[in-house]
Amino acid sequence: MIAKISSGKETAGLIRYLFDTKRAKDHTDPHLVASWDGFAPDPGRSDDFDATRKLLVADLDLHVKQARRLGRAPEKHVWHCSIRAAPEDRILSDEEWADIARRVVATTGIAPEGDPDGCRWVAVRHAPDHIHIAATKVRADLRTARHWNDYLTADRELAAIEKEYDLFQVVRGDRTAAKRPTRAEQEKALRAGQEKPARERLRATVRIAVAAASSVEEFVHLLSHIDGVLVEVVYFPSGDVRGYKVAAEDTTTAGKEPVWFSGSELAPNLSFPKIRQRLEAIDPQPADQPGRRRLNPWHQATAAAERIPHRLDQSDDEASQAHLAAFGEALDALPLLAPQELRPQLRSAATAFERATRSRIWATHHHARVLRSAVRAMLREPAPRDGAALAMLLDAAILVVIAAARWHQFHHHDQQVAAAQEALLHLQAAYDQAAVAPLAALVQRRPPQQTVDRQIRRLRQAVPEHVEQVLEDPAFVALTAALTDAEAAGHDPERLLKQAADQRALDDARWPARVLTWRVERLSGRPTPNSRARAAQAHRAAWPESTAQRTNTPAHEAATAPAPQPPPTRRR
């Protein structure tokens, strides 16, 4: 159920509208279902409609007129609340709507339960799926009703009513959503032939600028050089940036003045202080050094994204919120890097997931430095042409969004869960399209059957609980090709498989073979370990066992036990 609450100055006009059946064609059989005392005159059930309507208006306005003579009546003395059931709900009876109306006026403070001085009100039903509550805000003691936050209190009561009446439970937010365009903004965009109102277009533009910038100065510079966007920066007397506001060149007032929006009017997390906090949590990219292998930012971003589901399983909610915010910035940047045919789906995914990046939980942004830095580095160099890096990142992103939906669901963030689920559909569509070419290239390098059998044995050891799913995955051939290529480059396939499986459980993956393929591809892109490095890895792997043995050894035996020796290494 959804409530809509407004205030007005004229009781007679509201009652006239509620009982009108001529101009309002959807009004059928208007009548009262409840009132302040149960005896209010009902124009819908009277032989003399006009006389009864005037009598009802006079009864509702009785205390308003008394307060007006004392100079105590509020200017907008009419309280109007419409309550609409969901299309999926059953048709409620008049008695059920009456109970709902009484609960709403009680919880909002219009007519508290057991208060004989509560305001006068009536509930009118003129359609099967909704009612209107009309009330006057002056109480019988001539004080004005205390109905602050009436929308929130009514919404909480309606949520309880939905459960008790077994009705459709509306997805509710936590007041962190971006402000929606007003009806006037939507109609202005429609008249101008614009696909979206200026507020929504500017919100997307500012988000992209934040995703691309590495500092406050660069953010302001990027915004100032975007075509079709006007930017005004506000400074402190010291010269430091205080804030900003933006406007679209194609949207003006009647006087041809720009329609300005501050960052906080676009979205709560786009205010200048919050943007500055996020930009300050970016590690500068290390400068290239001669002889040192340069890190691949796409692989860095993928590795950082793959760690996010694990981060969300931890108890640090502030860090989890920071990782989701950083991941949202990565999605904002992807349309700038992807092929033209993938951009619509990626933009839709970024727009949907933007709602899942905000909640009442305060984010500590320094936890997500690696992903933010990698995304900025990706934007500063040409995107890989083979498409494997993008498919690899999208594959990791799908698992992040699934984990994000689960995390928000645990915290009862209903709107964020719905946003993540919507983003997931767009990401899966983009991934399915992006993965075709790189997977086909791997399939063309299908190894001999003897090699395939050997890789199957390795899979049974590395991921025994998922091996059947992997073998049934159409991308299984691509996985064997990736493992064979890695082995030819000097990597240990068994170690790569174990590392790939240990990074994150495959339970959430639709196609586990594809997930393993991209992880093996990324891991095999690292330098091949030499014999000394492999010996050190073997020593570290054996060290916990040796430590445990010493811990469990009696004191008198430990004194004489020889110290563990590192495995011998061969020198050239």
Side-chain angles (χ1 to χ4, degrees), residues 126-305:
H126 57 206
D129 63 344
H130 69 277
I131 62 169
H132 292 260
I133 302 175
T136 47
K137 299 181 185 179
V138 180
R139 294 162 43 85
D141 55 12
L142 302 188
R143 291 187 293 121
T144 302
R146 299 169 62 91
H147 61 97
W148 296 299
N149 289 327
D150 48 9
Y151 173 77
L152 294 178
T153 53
D155 195 54
R156 282 197 293 266
E157 188 65 25
L158 291 178
I161 290 171
E162 289 167 355
K163 294 180 181 179
E164 293 178 24
Y165 279 78
D166 194 23
L167 304 176
F168 176 79
Q169 296 183 23
V170 175
V171 175
R172 290 177 163 83
D174 53 4
R175 303 184 74 184
T176 61
K179 186 177 180 180
R180 295 181 179 180
T182 64
R183 183 173 180 177
E185 292 173 359
Q186 293 173 341
E187 292 178 350
K188 176 180 281 192
L190 188 62
R191 290 194 301 269
Q194 298 161 353
E195 185 178 352
K196 293 182 179 180
R199 185 191 298 269
E200 291 187 350
R201 290 183 282 127
L202 290 169
R203 182 185 303 137
T205 300
V206 174
R207 287 201 339 256
I208 293 174
V210 173
S214 297
S215 64
V216 170
E217 294 74 19
E218 187 176 10
F219 166 70
V220 174
H221 175 78
L222 289 174
L223 269 186
S224 303
H225 288 78
I226 296 177
D227 293 337
V229 176
L230 303 175
V231 182
E232 186 172 309
V233 182
V234 182
Y235 295 91
F236 286 109
S238 63
D240 295 331
V241 178
R242 178 181 179 181
Y244 74 98
K245 54 184 179 179
V246 291
E249 289 184 348
D250 58 6
T251 303
T252 59
T253 64
K256 302 301 181 182
E257 293 295 325
V259 180
W260 294 100
F261 297 92
S262 66
S264 59
E265 288 176 322
L266 298 177
N269 62 337
L270 294 182
S271 67
F272 185 76
K274 292 189 177 180
I275 288 177
R276 181 171 52 198
Q277 289 176 358
R278 289 154 64 183
L279 294 179
E280 288 174 351
I282 298 176
D283 286 333
Q285 285 291 310
D288 292 341
Q289 299 179 3
R292 184 174 181 179
R293 187 174 181 273
R294 187 173 178 274
L295 297 175
N296 185 325
W298 285 82
H299 289 183
Q300 281 185 292
T302 302

Side-chain angles (χ1 to χ4, degrees), residues 242-385:
R242 178 181 179 181
Y244 74 98
K245 54 184 179 179
V246 291
E249 289 184 348
D250 58 6
T251 303
T252 59
T253 64
K256 302 301 181 182
E257 293 295 325
V259 180
W260 294 100
F261 297 92
S262 66
S264 59
E265 288 176 322
L266 298 177
N269 62 337
L270 294 182
S271 67
F272 185 76
K274 292 189 177 180
I275 288 177
R276 181 171 52 198
Q277 289 176 358
R278 289 154 64 183
L279 294 179
E280 288 174 351
I282 298 176
D283 286 333
Q285 285 291 310
D288 292 341
Q289 299 179 3
R292 184 174 181 179
R293 187 174 181 273
R294 187 173 178 274
L295 297 175
N296 185 325
W298 285 82
H299 289 183
Q300 281 185 292
T302 302
E306 285 180 335
R307 289 192 291 269
I308 292 178
H310 174 70
R311 309 287 190 195
L312 299 182
D313 287 341
Q314 308 304 308
S315 58
D316 191 342
D317 288 341
E318 291 79 8
S320 297
Q321 185 64 60
H323 285 293
L324 293 179
F327 178 73
E329 293 175 19
L331 291 184
D332 288 333
L334 276 184
L336 303 176
L337 301 164
Q340 191 71 32
E341 63 273 12
L342 296 180
R343 291 178 184 177
Q345 289 287 5
L346 292 177
R347 287 196 192 99
S348 298
T351 300
F353 193 78
E354 187 263 347
R355 179 67 188 97
T357 62
R358 294 191 309 278
S359 71
R360 285 288 178 183
I361 298 173
W362 183 266
T364 49
H365 292 293
H366 67 274
H367 288 284
R369 292 178 183 270
V370 175
L371 179 57
R372 281 197 169 93
S373 301
V375 169
R376 270 64 177 185
M378 289 161 51
L379 289 166
R380 283 158 175 75
E381 64 178 40
R385 294 183 179 180

Side-chain angles (χ1 to χ4, degrees), residues 490 528-539 567-572:
T528 307
N530 55 30
S531 58
R532 181 179 298 181
R534 285 195 294 268
Q537 290 173 354
H539 174 56
T569 57
R570 193 184 314 172
R571 297 181 181 273
R572 294 184 179 180

